[in-house]
Amino acid sequence: MPDLLLYFSTAACWLLLSGVAFRASRPVAAGVPSPRGDARIEIALVPVALVLHGMLLYTRIVVADGLDLGVANAISLLVWLTALIYWLAGLAFEGLSGVVGLMAPVALLAVVLTAVVPTHHIVTYGGDPLFALHFGIAMLAYSLFIVATVHAVVMLFEERWLHRGLLPPFLKSLPPLLVMEALLFRMLLTAFVLLTLTVVSGVFFSEQLFGKPLTFNHKTVFGIVSWFIFGGLLVGHYVRGWRGRIAVYWTLAGFTALLLAYVGSKVVLELILQRG
């Protein structure tokens, strides 16, 4: 499939899903039934959009010299992984499937970003299994933290809408708040373990992975800060019973630090300083 056609077809799928999500976000009274006639469209289009987006990422990232991990490609990859994880979670927990609609506009923006932001950051891959393992674990950790952050924000809005008695249809299908909270901490624990492996592999294998010893720049500092925030949240939850809004706010703080560590550093280097 030619690149231009792949761009347009991927963007068209996410645009249509964004429209479906917008229709489903209109609040209705809690006691009023809200049939979603376009639910079948969403069920059919989400896997198609994910496959097309994955194909687009492959053509953009896998290049002759290695991996093009420029800021646009990196953001698009993280957004795609986040949407994929939420889609898979929706297969296990039916009420979560509607949240994929929240990711549709973000995924559309990510596709547009890859088309208009001409940044390149070639990482020589060379088939090194250690680098592949480090990269895969890191991307999965970041994506799970994005999922957890979206999940925390949805919980916050779910609580507010429940108090108002006026719920958007996609929120009406969500699991109860206690179930949502339990899922949040499962995701955070899994992501924290993966982030720990990422930090450890980066510290001990930096020279082998990246060809230079570990340097404590802002990316490393913010990454370690996010590790402490998420670790503190998990300790506070399992030892002192932290939950509810405290958990949501700590999740948002940890995600902000992680965002500054990874995406923020790439934006500064590639878009502002014009360095790969």
Side-chain angles (χ1 to χ4, degrees), residues 8-274:
F8 276 111
S9 56
T10 305
C13 284
W14 287 126
L15 180 61
L16 185 53
L17 283 167
S18 298
V20 171
F22 177 76
R23 285 166 55 102
S25 66
R26 290 178 297 183
V28 294
V32 177
S34 54
R36 292 181 59 189
D38 45 17
R40 292 181 180 178
I41 297 177
E42 182 178 328
I43 292 173
L45 265 184
V46 169
V48 173
L50 287 170
V51 169
L52 290 174
H53 199 155
M55 292 170 60
L56 179 61
L57 283 170
Y58 182 83
T59 61
R60 288 275 307 185
I61 293 177
V62 181
V63 295
D65 298 330
L67 300 178
D68 185 352
L69 297 177
V71 61
N73 288 347
I75 291 174
S76 187
L77 176 59
L78 288 173
V79 170
W80 177 76
L81 282 171
T82 303
L84 176 64
I85 291 170
Y86 246 122
W87 178 67
L88 292 174
L91 297 178
F93 300 92
E94 187 177 353
L96 294 178
S97 58
V99 184
V100 179
L102 293 176
M103 295 302 303
V106 183
L108 174 62
L109 183 61
V111 171
V112 173
L113 197 66
T114 58
V116 301
V117 179
T119 57
H120 299 281
H121 180 190
I122 305 299
V123 176
T124 304
Y125 172 49
D128 186 350
L130 186 59
F131 174 83
L133 184 62
H134 172 83
F135 178 74
I137 292 175
M139 290 298 100
L140 188 55
Y142 296 150
S143 300
L144 276 173
F145 278 125
I146 297 174
V147 170
T149 303
V150 173
H151 197 83
V153 172
V154 169
M155 283 174 55
L156 194 62
F157 279 96
E158 183 181 13
E159 181 184 8
R160 290 181 180 178
W161 282 111
L162 283 173
H163 283 116
R164 295 180 184 179
L166 199 66
L167 293 171
F170 80 95
L171 280 183
K172 292 178 71 174
S173 66
L174 288 174
L177 273 172
L178 288 177
V179 176
M180 291 281 286
E181 187 175 80
L183 289 172
L184 173 65
F185 280 102
R186 289 179 194 173
M187 287 187 286
L188 286 173
L189 182 59
T190 303
F192 181 74
V193 171
L194 293 175
L195 181 61
T196 302
L197 293 174
T198 302
V199 172
V200 169
S201 64
V203 169
F204 288 100
F205 302 107
S206 179
E207 192 161 1
Q208 185 176 350
L209 285 168
F210 309 111
K212 58 182 179 181
L214 180 69
T215 56
F216 280 92
N217 50 27
H218 63 281
K219 179 179 179 180
T220 305
V221 170
F222 277 117
I224 294 174
V225 167
S226 68
W227 185 86
F228 275 108
I229 291 174
F230 285 119
L233 171 58
L234 289 169
V235 170
H237 172 69
Y238 291 110
V239 175
R240 305 196 62 179
W242 290 358
R243 50 192 297 266
R245 293 195 177 189
I246 294 178
V248 171
Y249 295 145
W250 273 68
T251 301
L252 293 176
F255 173 72
T256 301
L258 200 61
L259 193 67
L260 291 171
Y262 186 69
V263 177
S265 64
K266 294 184 76 66
V267 169
V268 170
L269 287 173
E270 296 181 29
L271 299 185
I272 300 176
L273 301 179
Q274 299 292 314

